[in-house]
Amino acid sequence: MPKQRRPRTRRSAPTFADHAARVPIVTAGTDPHDPDLPSYTRKTTEKSEVPLVFGVDDPSGAGLTRAQALAGDSMRAPHYGVRLSSRTTETVEHPGWAEPQWFAVRSRLAALQTLRPDAIGSHTSAAELLGIPLPSHLRGRHAPIHVLNAVQARGAHGHRGSLTEPSVTTGGVEVTGHLQTVMQLAPLLAERDLVVAIDALIGPWRGSPVALEQIDRHMRENPGRRGARKLRNARARARPGVGPPRESEIRLDLVDWGFPEPAVGRAVWIAELRRHLTPDLLYEDIRTAIEYEGEQHRTNRWQVEADIERANAVRSAGYFVERLTKRTGLVELIGVLTERFAALRAGTLRFPSAH
């Protein structure tokens, strides 16, 4: 009886978990009061072990023979001729705020650049790796990897074009620079989302990598691009000094509801502290400070205590303080502001007493 051949096991496609897996080996620059603050609050650089990506024609970097690279049970095949090892890792330097989705995009782009070294990450892929906020429908495990240069590969979207500024290396992969990336986003995003993206680039959220003047100059030097009018409109609505993207959204929400635009970065003198404090958003006419509290404001004990002290200090200067979270508070805030502006017009608004 002839010997039956064992059926070949089809190699499974790489999963989100395969790409996102990482083990931090160096933690740097976390809050000095509490090292457990969420990663998205960190603005420094860290190092992590990530799955090794390599080409099957040169598997020596993984310590494997070509046969082992082709047959290893711990391997995934993101693209033909490329392997991602779930057992062998490499060390990469990355932003301290990087989270699992960042590592997933980074590994997928690394696999594509192993296949095509000239494929430079662009558009939404570059935005994710550079920390530019995107709406949820343009990111996630099913979003394609966007690159400059024509590339035909699974899960990749190639774009024709050339660099308009030097590329940036992050996490060991090459992507378009901040200015070119935000221009690439203009045709893809609604104007409001583009304002949020520019606010993040010019604000303190992840280090203020560019200034408004640089965006203006880059637009002048590269006229006629798709989405140019939308980008000009969004740039005019952007404000330096805005914190997390949710703060940008709150500011835009208030304007959309017909309120005056709240001030960003305006300091309040606190006499009892003998120094200034700067609320997230401020209506000076009705002496109302608006503070957005992200996830770390709820889960981190030191941050919670600091927020309470900060709010009490601003109230001591004769200001109302309204605090919002990620999911609650906007409807209540709109009601409060409506009443206060109405009382201001009627001359009946009474401010908190300063002490």
Side-chain angles (χ1 to χ4, degrees), residues 51 182 210 257 266:
V182 78
V210 301
W257 272 87
R266 184 170 298 175

Side-chain angles (χ1 to χ4, degrees), residues 52-278:
L52 180 65
V53 179
F54 61 93
V56 295
D57 291 332
D58 184 22
S60 57
L64 302 171
T65 65
R66 192 173 191 276
Q68 289 172 324
L70 290 171
D73 293 336
S74 64
M75 302 297 167
R76 296 291 183 268
H79 304 289
Y80 179 80
V82 180
R83 295 293 181 267
L84 182 147
S85 171
S86 61
R87 293 182 182 176
T88 308
T89 62
E90 62 177 325
T91 303
V92 299
E93 193 172 86
H94 61 84
W97 46 259
E99 294 183 324
Q101 173 61 20
W102 188 96
F103 288 94
V105 174
R106 180 262 164 207
S107 287
R108 292 175 63 196
L109 181 56
L112 190 58
Q113 291 183 346
T114 300
L115 181 70
R116 286 284 303 271
D118 61 335
I120 299 172
S122 66
H123 296 73
T124 56
S125 300
E128 289 203 69
L129 295 180
L130 294 174
I132 302 174
L134 296 171
S136 58
H137 70 278
L138 292 178
R139 50 187 169 83
R141 61 183 299 178
H142 299 298
I145 294 296
H146 291 263
V147 293
L148 288 185
N149 294 320
V151 173
Q152 293 183 347
R154 179 177 57 183
H157 188 160
H159 299 265
R160 293 183 178 180
S162 57
L163 292 175
T164 58
E165 64 172 329
S167 60
V168 174
T169 299
T170 179
V173 295
E174 189 176 1
V175 299
T176 51
H178 295 83
L179 299 172
Q180 182 168 7
T181 300
V182 78
M183 290 191 70
Q184 292 168 342
L185 294 177
L188 306 177
L189 302 185
E191 183 178 309
R192 176 191 171 96
D193 294 325
L194 200 54
V195 175
V196 174
I198 297 174
D199 276 356
L201 278 177
I202 63 177
W205 186 51
R206 285 178 175 167
S208 301
V210 301
L212 274 175
E213 294 74 16
Q214 291 176 283
I215 296 176
D216 293 338
R217 183 168 62 250
H218 201 74
M219 287 192 295
R220 289 196 301 270
E221 293 173 350
N222 298 275
R225 302 277 173 164
R226 287 182 57 207
R229 178 181 298 178
K230 190 195 305 180
L231 184 59
R232 285 194 298 271
N233 293 341
R235 177 260 176 264
R237 298 175 65 187
R239 299 291 180 267
V242 181
R246 183 61 185 136
E247 287 183 22
S248 295
E249 293 171 356
I250 293 169
R251 176 172 64 85
L252 297 173
D253 283 336
L254 294 175
V255 174
D256 290 344
W257 272 87
F259 294 106
E261 182 173 335
V264 175
R266 184 170 298 175
V268 173
W269 173 251
I270 310 298
E272 65 180 33
L273 299 180
R274 301 180 63 82
R275 67 186 181 94
H276 287 91
L277 290 179
T278 305

